[in-house]
Structure formats: structure tokens, C-alpha cells
Amino acid sequence: QPPFLLDGGPGFRSETANVLQLGYRGQPLPALNLSATLFHGDYDHLHTQELAPSRTSIFFGNGMRGRVSGLEAWGMVQAAPWLRLHGGFTLLRPRLSLKPGSADTGDSVAATEGAMPRQTWQLRAAFNLPREGELDLMLRHVGALTAPDVAAYTAVDLRLAYPLSPNADIALTARNLSGGHGEFTAMQTRTEFGRDVQLQLRMRWP
């Protein structure tokens, strides 16, 4: 029932993004593949929660703008006939600000920047085992968040698979072997992602 605290904001317009990417992908050596991308985005009309002039309600506005720059890279090397090594990382640098005249009440700059991890990386080793078996080991890391406060974490995953026949295979998968972690939302409502182990049987029909 009125009076309403939140007004939808009939003047809200679409957010815009102008993004430039410059990348390289190649195979400098027969056993080595590399890829790297620099990116930069200019963002405008980003969502804010503005205080109405009457100071009795809040409406959706476009009072934030800014830039996000970063680097993404990955590589793969065939270290041996039975071993492939993969690695990659992402670096992110957001720089957001409120526009002049904005009366944002939602702390939008801190909330938006704080929801972006500044760095992530992963390493993976893929082994070819006897009898057509496969073993994948992965180490992955995600940087901390500040809004809400979510700690950085590093996780270890594993997958071991063997074929049973031309149309069937069995696999043991395990995630977060290094322990549980949170990934997003405030502590009071956060879901903890714990250790997870599954045994999978996959069958294919012609």
C-alpha cells in the first residue's frame, strides 16, 4: 500500500558499454599454444538507487559510470606424449564513479566494484594413463570480494576416468578437495561449497 519507498523510475535508460579488445593467439612452438587478450571498457548510465527530491522515496537511476580494464591469458604445453599442462589467469581493474548530481543511496560504486574478483588463475595437468585412462588435476584460485566480504579461495579438483567399452565409461570426480569455501552473498545467507565426490557411469547409444 502507498506511500511506496521504491519508485521504479520511469526515466531509467539502458546501460551502455563501449569495449575494445586486442589479442594474440598462436602456436610459437609445435608443443606450445598461447593466447592473450587486453580489454578495456567504457561504461555509462549504470544502475544506481537515487534519493527523490522529496527525500521520501528512492527511484532507479543511471547515476554511475566508469571504466574496466584487464588482461586474460592462457597457455597449453604438451610436456610429454602422456602429459598436457594448461594454465591461465585474468586480471581486472575497475574504476567506477558517481556522476555529478547523483544522490545514490545504495553505495553502488563499492557494491559493483566489490563484486568483481581482481584476479583469478588456474593450473591443470592432464595425464594419459595406461588402458586409455585419463587423469585430470586442477588447481584454481579466485581473488577476494569486498562487497560483500568474501575471502579468496584456492580449490583442488580431480577427475579419473576409464572406458568400459566403446560406448561406456566410468569416472570419479572430486571438487574442492582442499576444503569448502563461499563464493558470493553476505555471510548470513551464504552457501558454503564443500567437498563433492561423485562416481559417474556414462553410456552412449549409436
Side-chain angles (χ1 to χ4, degrees):
Q1 298 295 324
F4 299 110
L5 174 64
L6 180 63
D7 183 351
F12 186 82
R13 60 171 294 180
S14 297
E15 301 173 330
T16 63
N18 295 311
V19 180
L20 174 67
Q21 296 184 352
L22 177 65
Y24 164 84
R25 177 175 292 181
Q27 189 175 14
L29 298 172
L32 178 64
N33 289 278
L34 294 175
S35 174
T37 303
L38 286 167
F39 56 89
H40 174 83
D42 288 322
Y43 297 86
D44 203 355
H45 313 300
L46 298 178
H47 168 265
T48 53
Q49 298 180 39
E50 301 291 334
L51 181 64
S54 64
R55 308 187 72 83
T56 60
S57 65
I58 297 169
F59 64 93
F60 294 139
N62 300 100
M64 184 169 53
R65 63 188 174 192
R67 301 174 176 179
V68 178
S69 303
L71 169 65
E72 182 179 49
W74 65 267
M76 187 278 290
V77 58
Q78 188 75 42
W82 47 270
L83 173 62
R84 292 186 311 280
L85 299 176
H86 305 254
F89 67 89
T90 301
L91 302 177
L92 201 63
R93 184 186 178 190
R95 291 166 292 177
L96 306 178
S97 63
L98 295 177
K99 296 181 180 182
S102 173
D104 176 57
T105 64
D107 203 11
S108 297
V109 171
T112 304
E113 289 189 349
M116 305 179 193
R118 298 300 189 269
Q119 69 279 328
T120 65
W121 55 260
Q122 67 176 25
L123 300 172
R124 175 175 167 241
F127 299 86
N128 294 328
L129 302 180
R131 300 182 181 178
E132 299 184 359
E134 298 176 351
L135 174 62
D136 289 342
L137 297 176
M138 180 179 290
L139 181 67
R140 51 191 172 90
H141 175 84
V142 178
L145 306 181
T146 58
D149 186 19
V150 180
Y153 69 89
T154 303
V156 178
D157 302 333
L158 174 148
R159 179 180 181 272
L160 176 63
Y162 271 95
L164 299 177
S165 72
N167 295 318
D169 56 61
I170 191 169
L172 175 68
T173 61
R175 292 177 59 83
N176 303 318
L177 290 176
S178 52
H181 61 268
E183 293 188 356
F184 48 84
T185 73
M187 180 65 72
Q188 295 82 354
T189 58
R190 184 175 304 163
T191 297
E192 190 81 2
F193 291 82
R195 294 183 179 91
D196 178 65
V197 179
Q198 298 183 21
L199 184 63
Q200 301 172 332
L201 176 64
R202 184 171 59 176
M203 302 183 68
R204 298 174 292 274
W205 282 266

